[in-house]
């Protein structure tokens, strides 16, 4: 599914140099390389501030709390995401409200959000948290309009979307604040856990910086209860190296996605969708967006059987995500039931992510498609 060694081999000299520098300077927590990464990352995204932190989960929590989200407020997000999109809202002390997704993009549906805002759970909603799932931006114009009309804060979960664009604007610079994850599988990845908050707001950045150090602005004077959510020096140094390559890697992912499209078409397997019948519904880059293909998720009918068939041929695949968040045991307290979000529930039954990473070889891609063709025949 993902061979991280291939990326490492290409740049391991530079990475070792970066790690050595941290050992020599002994700046293990935050420090010079983290600061240099924060500056370079903010320039890359076209935002003013970036605040390095310990994970994407913490970045979400920091962004929410720094934006004033807490007890007595609600935040709307998607049921079809990684658990952290909802758990960070709960950690902030707020209420998580969910709205269904769109079947083609798998992203939060603006129409569904609007209906929720007008319904009983809409009272108390102060923020929207769309997720740019699989590397493609959510329908941002509609969320920006909702934000303006209803005075809502917009926070992007950009964990999967480094380099993605919406009408020329980069993910991470679209909302009031954004959270990135540099988990090792991400398009821009650390060698461990790391994350980042991006924002144009001076006040939000300043508060996030304090919150990541237990609410300290002056050493051992705590203005509010924060948490330990700092980025470590090794991760900052490694990310600073990888930042130089991430555009090239994203271009590689885009070429691979095009190639998958072509191979599936040539094999005669493509269905128009949005739901599969006997073939494969391919993921699509929608108008006005730059998809960075964190995942290439197809939809198929007998998904679990196909996954087993692929595994039998030693081909990795993954289900992001098999259980929508409203049906997770830990989130029973949100008081949703099966049937509440039919699109998310259906996607959870049908999606299958295929191998896509910049160093994936053409012959490997051909094998993946050939084995799927064999299964479907
Ligand atoms: C959409 C989404 N949100 C949040 C996170 C949390 O990031 P992390 O694993 O770095 O805490 C992830 C990554 O795992 C993610 O994919």
């Amino acid at each position: 599914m993902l061979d991280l060694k291939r990326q490492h081999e290409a740049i391991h000299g530079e990475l070792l140099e970066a790690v050595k520098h941290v050992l020599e300077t002994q700046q293990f927590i935050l420090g010079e390389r983290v600061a240099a990464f924060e500056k370079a990352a903010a320039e890359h995204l076209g935002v003013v501030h970036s605040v390095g932190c310990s994970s994407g989960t913490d970045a979400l929590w920091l962004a929410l709390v720094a934006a004033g989200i807490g007890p007595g407020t609600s935040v709307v997000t998607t049921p079809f995401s990684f658990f952290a999109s909802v758990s960070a809202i709960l950690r902030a002390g707020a209420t998580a409200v969910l709205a269904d997704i769109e079947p083609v993009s798998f992203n939060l549906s603006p129409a569904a959000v609007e209906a929720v805002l007008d319904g009983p759970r809409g009272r108390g909603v102060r923020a929207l948290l769309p997720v740019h799932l699989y590397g493609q931006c959510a329908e941002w114009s509609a969320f920006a309009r909702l934000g303006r009309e209803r005075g809502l804060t917009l926070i992007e979960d950009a964990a999967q979307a480094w380099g993605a664009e919406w009408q020329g604007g980069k993910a991470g610079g679209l909302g009031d604040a954004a959270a990135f994850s540099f988990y090792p599988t991400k398009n821009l990845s650390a060698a461990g856990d790391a994350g980042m908050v991006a924002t144009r707001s001076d006040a939000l950045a300043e508060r996030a910086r304090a919150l990541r150090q237990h609410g300290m602005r002056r050493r051992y004077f705590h203005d509010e209860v924060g948490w330990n959510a700092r980025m470590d020096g090794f991760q900052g140094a490694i990310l600073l190296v990888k930042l130089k390559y991430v555009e090239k890697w994203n271009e590689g992912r885009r070429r691979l996605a095009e190639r998958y499209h072509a191979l599936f078409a040539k094999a005669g397997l493509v269905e128009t969708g949005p739901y599969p019948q006997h073939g494969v519904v391919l993921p699509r880059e929608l108008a006005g967006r730059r998809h960075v293909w964190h995942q290439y998720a197809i939809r198929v009918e007998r998904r679990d059987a196909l996954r087993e068939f692929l595994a039998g041929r030693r081909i990795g695949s993954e289900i992001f995500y098999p259980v929508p968040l409203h049906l997770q045991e830990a989130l029973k307290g949100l008081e949703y039931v099966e049937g509440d979000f039919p699109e998310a529930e259906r996607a959870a039954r049908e999606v299958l992510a295929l191998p896509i990473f910049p160093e994936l070889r053409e012959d490997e891609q051909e094998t993946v498609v050939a084995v799927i063709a064999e299964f479907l025949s």
Side-chain angles (χ1 to χ4, degrees):
M1 180 66 183
L2 172 62
D3 183 358
L4 286 170
K5 278 191 193 154
R6 295 185 197 176
Q7 184 189 82
H8 180 76
E9 276 159 14
I11 56 169
H12 83 281
E14 275 185 274
L15 294 177
L16 286 180
E17 194 51 48
V19 167
K20 191 164 151 249
H21 180 84
V22 175
L23 284 171
E24 282 168 0
T25 58
Q26 299 277 299
Q27 296 199 7
F28 295 126
I29 308 284
L30 298 173
E32 171 212 324
R33 288 287 157 109
V34 170
F37 170 68
E38 288 177 334
K39 186 165 179 288
E43 276 164 16
H44 188 109
L45 296 175
V47 295
V48 184
H49 304 283
S50 68
V51 181
C53 64
S54 39
S55 69
T57 305
D58 282 332
L60 281 169
W61 176 82
L62 287 167
L64 288 162
V65 178
I69 300 303
T73 66
S74 301
V75 180
V76 185
T77 192
T78 162
F80 196 59
S81 180
F82 179 61
F83 186 70
S85 305
V86 164
S87 66
I89 297 170
L90 303 179
R91 278 276 162 201
T95 301
V97 175
L98 302 177
D100 212 352
I101 58 167
E102 290 180 340
V104 175
S105 69
F106 304 104
N107 278 324
L108 192 59
S109 153
V113 170
E114 200 152 6
V116 164
L117 290 174
D118 291 332
R121 296 194 196 233
R123 258 178 280 124
V125 171
R126 286 266 312 281
L128 306 181
L129 182 77
V131 178
H132 304 314
L133 200 75
Y134 300 154
Q136 173 152 252
C137 284
E139 186 70 32
W140 207 261
S141 309
F143 293 122
R145 178 183 58 77
L146 278 176
R148 268 194 316 275
E149 286 175 3
R150 304 190 184 224
L152 304 173
T153 299
L154 298 188
I155 298 189
E156 300 165 67
D157 182 337
Q160 303 187 0
W162 187 279
E165 290 177 17
W166 168 265
Q167 294 177 351
K170 281 218 165 69
L174 305 174
D176 296 289
F180 286 95
S181 163
F182 304 123
Y183 183 76
T185 61
K186 298 295 194 260
N187 291 29
L188 175 61
S189 65
D193 273 316
M196 190 184 93
V197 176
T199 181
R200 287 199 183 80
S201 158
D202 296 345
L204 202 148
E206 194 275 335
R207 192 165 174 200
R209 277 183 201 286
L211 285 165
R212 78 174 167 180
Q213 302 218 68
H214 286 295
M216 271 195 293
R217 290 181 173 82
R218 271 189 302 156
R219 205 164 168 76
Y220 303 129
F221 289 79
H222 301 267
D223 305 325
E224 62 178 320
V225 177
W227 206 244
N228 174 1
R230 300 172 298 225
M231 183 184 277
D232 90 53
F234 289 119
Q235 304 312 334
I238 281 168
L239 286 164
L240 187 59
V241 171
K242 290 196 181 181
L243 187 61
K244 288 189 295 192
Y245 299 100
V246 66
E247 264 312 303
K248 191 178 98 188
W249 292 333
N250 278 344
E251 277 305 319
R253 287 173 182 271
R254 289 174 57 77
R255 274 196 300 278
L256 289 167
E258 284 298 319
R259 200 142 186 285
Y260 265 137
H261 296 341
L263 288 169
F264 277 114
K266 201 169 146 207
L269 301 176
V270 181
E271 281 182 343
T272 46
Y275 311 113
Q277 285 173 333
H278 307 293
V280 176
V281 176
L282 301 181
R284 287 197 348 231
E285 179 178 59
L286 298 175
R289 282 166 248 216
R290 178 178 189 248
H291 200 320
V292 289
W293 301 100
H294 174 58
Q295 300 298 344
Y296 188 91
I298 59 170
R299 289 180 91 129
V300 279
E301 248 233 315
R302 291 185 297 133
R303 190 267 317 272
D304 294 338
L306 172 59
R307 187 164 188 231
E308 252 176 60
F309 192 78
L310 287 165
R313 302 295 181 86
R314 299 176 42 83
I315 294 172
S317 63
E318 192 52 87
I319 300 166
F320 304 108
Y321 295 91
V323 181
L325 296 174
H326 65 293
L327 302 180
Q328 293 285 352
E329 185 65 27
L331 299 177
K332 273 188 176 156
L334 299 184
E335 297 185 334
Y336 289 108
V337 293
E338 195 161 354
D340 279 348
F341 305 110
E343 293 296 351
E345 289 167 24
R346 182 157 193 173
R349 288 194 299 272
E350 294 176 348
V351 290
L352 188 65
L354 303 179
I356 189 162
F357 54 96
E359 303 80 14
L360 185 69
R361 293 194 316 266
E362 293 190 355
D363 62 304
E364 292 172 321
Q365 260 193 309
E366 280 159 19
T367 305
V368 172
V369 176
V371 171
I372 293 174
E374 190 186 332
F375 173 82
L376 291 173
S377 70

